[in-house]
Every structure is written in structure tokens, then in C-alpha cells.
Amino acid sequence: MGVRLLYLARHGEQDRSEVELPEVGLSERGRRQAELLGERMRGVPLAAVHHGPLARAAETATLVARSLPGVPVYATELAGDHLPHDTDPAGLPPAYARVLGGYSPAERVDGPRVTAAAVDRFATAPADGEVRELLVTHSFLIAWLVRHALDAPPARWLGINLHNAGLTVIRYSSGGPPNLIAVNDVAHLPPELRATGLPADYRV
């Protein structure tokens, strides 16, 4: 039986002081979040770390990898920040409709295409053996993969909000449906580094 354990992490908090720049790296808190995520992953027998091409994902992966000697690190468009599904905004809460309305017609085609390729690459079990991989990515892709694992309606990717450096783990097996092992786990972060990346009224 083949098993894939896919570890999904949202990038660390981005540097809001540079929000106007096209390539935004991590804030000081974001760098510490990434370091603690790396310490959390130390000892996990990972085959690889994959990350999206944007600076905040790449920097997070670099810092995480310092705790993972010998584990190769790869950049991939499949882990990028893109619209995962061309969701119809009709009938959605206004905030969701505004988010969807900000995407161009090309992005509404390209994003779902890349997401489908990411599902084909990462959300499947190998033919045999066990594979563990870490994907350092963005909130939308993690939300889509959680929705996909639950076989929920496509629009349910909306409303799944992720902490910066939060850890989600999905187990894919050739012997059955996907299993959610952990979702948005921040046990590796102290209270002052949790809940970044979430709307203020979502913080508990």
C-alpha cells in the first residue's frame, strides 16, 4: 500500500512595511515563526521541501530547511499564490465576492489549472511505500487541499483561514480516502506569534 503524508505550511508573516513592493519577504515575527516551524519539523523523515516562488514562501522554506539537513528544497509554481477555483460570487457574502472580483479573467483560468496540477502532483498516494513532503505555500492552496480531502463542495475553500506558519497534515493512502491528521496546528508557536495572517475578529 502506498502512503503520502503531505505537510502543508502557510508562509510566515510578511513584512507589511514593504507591502507596496511586488516581492514581499518576512517580517521579524515571520522569520521567527519559520524558524520554530523548522524546529517542529526536525526529525520528520521528509523526502523534500517544496515552496512557492514568491519571496515570503521562499524565505520561509529557507529558514525551515536550516533544521532539516540533507533535505532537498525545490521552488515550484504549483505551490504559488493563485486562485484555486473560479467560484461564482453570486450569493456569497460581500467580503468573499470582493476577493473573487479582484481576479482577472486570465487568473480565473490559470489559477484553477495550476491548482489541478498541484492536486495531481501532491494530493495522491504513491504506488507503494511511504513518502513525506513539506509544501510551504499560501492560504488559498491549503484551503483548497483541505476542501479536496473532505470532498466538500468546491466553494467551501472560501472561509478556511490559516495562521502564518500553521501546520496542516493530510494522509493519502491507496487503501482509502484522504485523512486529515492536523489542520492549522500552531502548537510550535508561542501565543504572541499565533493568529498572524487572520482577520482581527477571527483570533481566539
Side-chain angles (χ1 to χ4, degrees):
M1 182 175 68
V3 172
R4 181 188 308 278
L5 280 164
L6 184 63
Y7 297 77
L8 297 157
R10 187 182 178 192
H11 59 80
E13 181 186 61
Q14 67 190 72
D15 187 350
R16 294 293 180 181
S17 69
E18 298 181 352
V19 73
E20 299 302 322
L21 299 178
E23 282 288 302
V24 180
L26 300 181
S27 67
E28 183 177 346
R29 288 198 304 181
R31 288 189 289 274
R32 184 60 183 147
Q33 289 169 334
E35 290 167 349
L36 291 170
L37 176 61
E39 292 176 16
R40 171 77 179 272
M41 298 302 297
R42 183 183 286 124
V44 176
L46 293 171
V49 175
H50 305 272
H51 65 83
L54 294 181
R56 56 191 182 272
E59 187 176 355
T60 300
T62 297
L63 292 170
V64 168
R66 290 179 181 175
S67 295
L68 307 172
V71 177
V73 179
Y74 304 104
T76 174
E77 180 193 15
L78 300 184
D81 190 13
H82 42 72
L83 182 71
H85 181 263
D86 188 13
T87 306
D88 185 353
L92 293 177
Y96 294 165
R98 283 194 297 273
V99 168
L100 295 171
Y103 286 89
S104 70
E107 289 171 325
R108 298 177 77 90
V109 173
D110 291 342
R113 174 188 58 78
V114 176
T115 301
V119 169
D120 288 343
R121 167 60 181 85
F122 294 109
T124 58
D128 54 52
E130 181 180 283
V131 176
R132 296 176 185 241
E133 295 177 296
L134 171 63
L135 202 61
V136 178
T137 182
H138 302 266
S139 187
F140 283 3
L141 180 59
I142 299 172
W144 182 261
L145 290 170
V146 169
R147 181 224 63 84
H148 175 267
L150 294 173
D151 197 23
R156 285 300 296 126
W157 72 273
L158 289 161
I160 299 176
N161 293 278
L162 286 308
H163 296 260
N164 290 123
L167 186 64
T168 294
V169 185
I170 306 176
R171 181 181 185 272
Y172 300 94
S173 167
S174 56
N179 298 127
L180 286 176
I181 306 300
V183 178
N184 217 9
D185 184 349
V186 290
H188 50 288
L189 301 178
E192 64 271 19
L193 292 181
R194 298 177 185 176
T196 64
L198 297 178
D201 61 340
Y202 283 33
R203 300 179 183 183
V204 295

